[in-house]
């Protein structure tokens, strides 16, 4: 039995490695650049304690959103292999497989919990192996594995699963009057480690509640029920109360000014999205997958679109059915409650993007466990049990084949963006990404240059058809003209300025790096873009009150750089530099740039004041050391 089990586990792992390996050659994408490629603090060169601490503190976000364990893992990757995307993605794949093993262990424990009187080792291992295989090979998890930055999600999911497994094992041990409290005490420790990867681990109390109401519903409390009840209150009730209090005292969590939708629209749309995820889990459609889902229409009321009310009613019916059947059909009830509990953070009221596949990395386990249970265990009394199992195997093969196709789409930036645009033709973001790739190819093209430029323009125009105020698309038209050594048309610049001035802004609408790119183009000299055009774009952007502090700081920083290095107007540069530092007060770099500008202007005393502020927000030794070096230089010049 042990030999066959090891063989089966090895086969599943080998299949996962074989299917995912082609995707390891893919590039860094989007948020990878922010957290890894452009993050100088995470790019450590050794595993010395000081270097590891630097990587731990390398996030530009404050705790709890800093996710230091994930940042540390990125730093270790860089220390060992530099900025090699293959190494980062291979690490993600290794974590994915480890999480698959955790899925196997958790499913075995789930079977032991529900089959107290009808235990059969064959079905326990069969269900666990099937769940591990379908979860590891499911196409919905491709974006989590091959998008390097989503290691944050992986770490959180892995340790949350280990925490849940420790809880189930502890409960099962206590039910048999054995020592289980040691395992139960391990639960918050594992969850805390997961939380350091990503905040989703904070959902553990809800996930534990789902387990208690379903899988553990009939499991005895053991000889010390009072102590166990106290522990359950500590692990479930108290954290839920504290979580509600935290949410109520942090209104910024529902700050929607940077989103192209309102709180009401998000809450109304999410029921449809949750059904969309379920459809992808059970019936994967390669054309529906992708990072870009801005082609999904918003729900503006319960009846617009009409399917909104049906989605809400469907979820209500699912939850009610799960509650009613939780004793008779614990696996079904668990799948429902676990799925919705797992989405409680990212698919409800928080001001996050509307759709992301990686949000199903852990919640999707519930429905997939139910699917594999129905095939392996639930059908065992049917006359056509073998036929059901054969259909299940065919379904797993279909999932694996779809995953293989998706992985190959992720194997290069070209295949990624082109497949995204082809699968989501009504997505402004997908069309812009395809155009962006083609624009980068224009500079190196010879005879094919006109054709590539026209194809890029076509994608940008298609993006504008999907969204007439697509800021990235309008930026793309400007940048395309620059690559063709043409002065951007005043009409395009005016359209961009108008959209920036009063339109929706934020990370999903426009990349702030676009402003820095235009400034860098001007700094390089010989640009066909007039200074007045660039200033009109920057002025229009700053006139928009909807920017968050990170976006506004980025634009002000770009304006500072423009005046410092293009117009040489240091006073104007200082004005924008101070505005950038004031917009994002917790960041060290904008404040240091102000201090250095003041040094250029000979205003040393003022520079010292800003250095004091910079020192107070320094995150690591390098920032502290640089601040002190500049301070010593000033004090030496002042004769102190």
């Amino acid at each position: 039995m042990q030999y066959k089990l090891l063989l089966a586990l090895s086969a599943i792992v080998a299949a996962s490695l074989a299917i995912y390996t082609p995707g390891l050659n893919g590039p860094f994408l989007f948020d990878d650049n922010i957290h890894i490629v452009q993050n100088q603090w995470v790019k450590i060169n050794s595993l010395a304690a000081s270097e590891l601490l630097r990587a731990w503190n390398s996030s530009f976000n404050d705790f709890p959103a800093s996710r230091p364990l994930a940042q540390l893992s990125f730093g270790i990757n860089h220390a060992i292999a530099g900025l090699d995307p293959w190494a980062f993605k291979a690490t993600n794949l290794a974590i994915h497989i480890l999480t698959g093993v955790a899925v196997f262990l958790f499913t075995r424990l789930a079977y032991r919990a529900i089959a107290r009187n009808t235990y059969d080792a064959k079905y326990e291992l069969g269900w666990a192996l099937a769940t591990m295989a379908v979860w590891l090979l499911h196409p919905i998890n491709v974006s989590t594995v091959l998008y390097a930055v989503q290691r944050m999600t992986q770490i959180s999911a892995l340790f949350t699963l280990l925490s849940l497994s420790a809880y189930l094992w502890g409960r099962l041990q206590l039910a048999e009057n054995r020592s289980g409290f040691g395992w139960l005490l391990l639960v918050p420790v594992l969850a805390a480690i997961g939380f350091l990867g990503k905040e989703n681990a904070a959902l553990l109390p809800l996930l534990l509640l789902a387990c208690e109401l379903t899988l553990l519903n009939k499991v005895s409390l053991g000889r010390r029920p009072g102590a166990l009840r106290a522990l359950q209150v500590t692990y479930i009730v108290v954290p839920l109360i504290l979580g509600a209090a935290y949410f109520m005292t942090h209104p910024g969590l529902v700050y929607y000014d940077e989103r192209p939708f309102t709180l009401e629209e998000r809450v109304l749309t999410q029921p449809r999205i949750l059904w969309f995820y379920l459809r992808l889990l059970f019936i994967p459609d390669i054309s529906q997958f992708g990072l870009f889902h801005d082609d999904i229409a918003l729900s503006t009321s319960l009846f617009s679109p009409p399917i909104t009310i049906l989605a809400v009613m469907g979820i209500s019916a699912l939850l009610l059915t799960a509650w009613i059947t939780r004793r008779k059909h614990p696996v079904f009830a668990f799948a429902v409650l676990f799925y919705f509990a797992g989405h409680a953070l990212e698919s409800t009221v928080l001001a996050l993007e509307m759709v992301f596949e990686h949000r199903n990395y852990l919640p999707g386990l519930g429905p997939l466990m139910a699917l594999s249970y129905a095939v392996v265990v639930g059908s065992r009394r049917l006359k056509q049990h073998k036929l059901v199992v054969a259909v299940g195997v065919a379904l797993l093969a279909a999932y694996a084949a779809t995953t293989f196709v998706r992985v190959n789409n992720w194997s290069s930036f070209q295949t990624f963006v082109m497949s995204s645009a082809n699968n989501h033709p009504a997505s402004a973001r997908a069309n812009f990404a395809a155009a962006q790739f083609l624009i980068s190819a224009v500079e190196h093209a010879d005879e094919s240059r006109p054709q590539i430029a026209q194809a890029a323009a076509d994608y940008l125009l298609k993006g504008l058809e999907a969204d007439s105020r697509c800021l990235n698309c309008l930026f793309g038209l400007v940048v395309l003209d620059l690559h063709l050594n043409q002065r951007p048309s005043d009409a395009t610049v005016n359209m961009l300025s108008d959209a920036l001035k009063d339109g929706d802004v934020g990370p999903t609408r426009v990349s702030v790096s676009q402003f820095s790119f235009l400034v860098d183009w001007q700094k390089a000299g010989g640009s066909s873009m007039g200074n007045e055009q660039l200033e009109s774009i920057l002025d229009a952007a700053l006139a928009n009150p909807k920017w968050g502090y990170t976006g506004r700081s980025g634009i002000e920083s770009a304006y500072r750089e423009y005046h410092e290095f293009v117009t040489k107007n240091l006073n104007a540069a200082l004005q924008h530099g101070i505005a950038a530092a004031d917009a994002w007060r917790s960041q060290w770099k904008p404040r240091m740039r102000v201090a250095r500008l003041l040094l250029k202007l000979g205003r040393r005393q003022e520079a010292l004041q800003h250095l004091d502020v910079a020192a107070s927000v320094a995150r690591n030794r390098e920032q502290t050391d640089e601040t002190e070096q500049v301070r010593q230089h000033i004090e030496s010049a002042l004769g102190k």
Side-chain angles (χ1 to χ4, degrees), residues 415-428:
T415 55
F416 173 80
V417 295
M418 292 306 172
S419 63
S420 295
N422 291 336
N423 289 334
H424 297 272
S427 165

Side-chain angles (χ1 to χ4, degrees), residues 268 272 298-310 312-313:
L268 287 170
R272 291 170 45 221
L298 297 176
S299 292
T300 56
S301 75
L302 279 172
F303 303 97
S304 179
I307 197 174
T308 304
I309 185 65
L310 297 179
V312 172
M313 292 172 63

Side-chain angles (χ1 to χ4, degrees), residues 20 22-24 27 29 32 89 92 141-148 406-408 410-411:
Y20 270 100
L24 302 183
L29 296 166
D32 291 342
K89 294 171 188 285
N92 279 22
N141 290 330
V142 169
S143 61
T144 312
V145 179
L146 296 182
Y147 193 4
R406 285 207 74 197
V407 165
N408 278 275
W410 282 70
S411 63

Side-chain angles (χ1 to χ4, degrees), residues 305-338:
I307 197 174
T308 304
I309 185 65
L310 297 179
V312 172
M313 292 172 63
I315 289 175
S316 300
L318 261 184
L319 290 171
L320 179 61
T321 304
W323 176 259
I324 294 173
T325 63
R326 68 190 188 280
R327 292 179 179 274
K328 188 175 182 180
H329 301 291
V331 175
F332 165 77
F334 167 78
V336 173
L337 297 181
F338 190 86

Side-chain angles (χ1 to χ4, degrees), residues 586-604:
S586 63
Q587 284 298 295
W588 170 86
K589 184 178 288 186
R591 192 63 62 180
M592 277 299 296
R593 284 171 173 164
V594 171
R596 291 187 179 279
L597 258 175
L598 286 165
L599 275 179
K600 283 187 177 182
L601 289 165
R603 296 157 62 174
R604 294 187 179 92

Side-chain angles (χ1 to χ4, degrees), residues 534-546:
L534 179 53
E535 290 179 16
S536 71
I537 292 171
L538 291 167
D539 287 336
L542 291 176
N544 193 321
K546 297 180 181 179

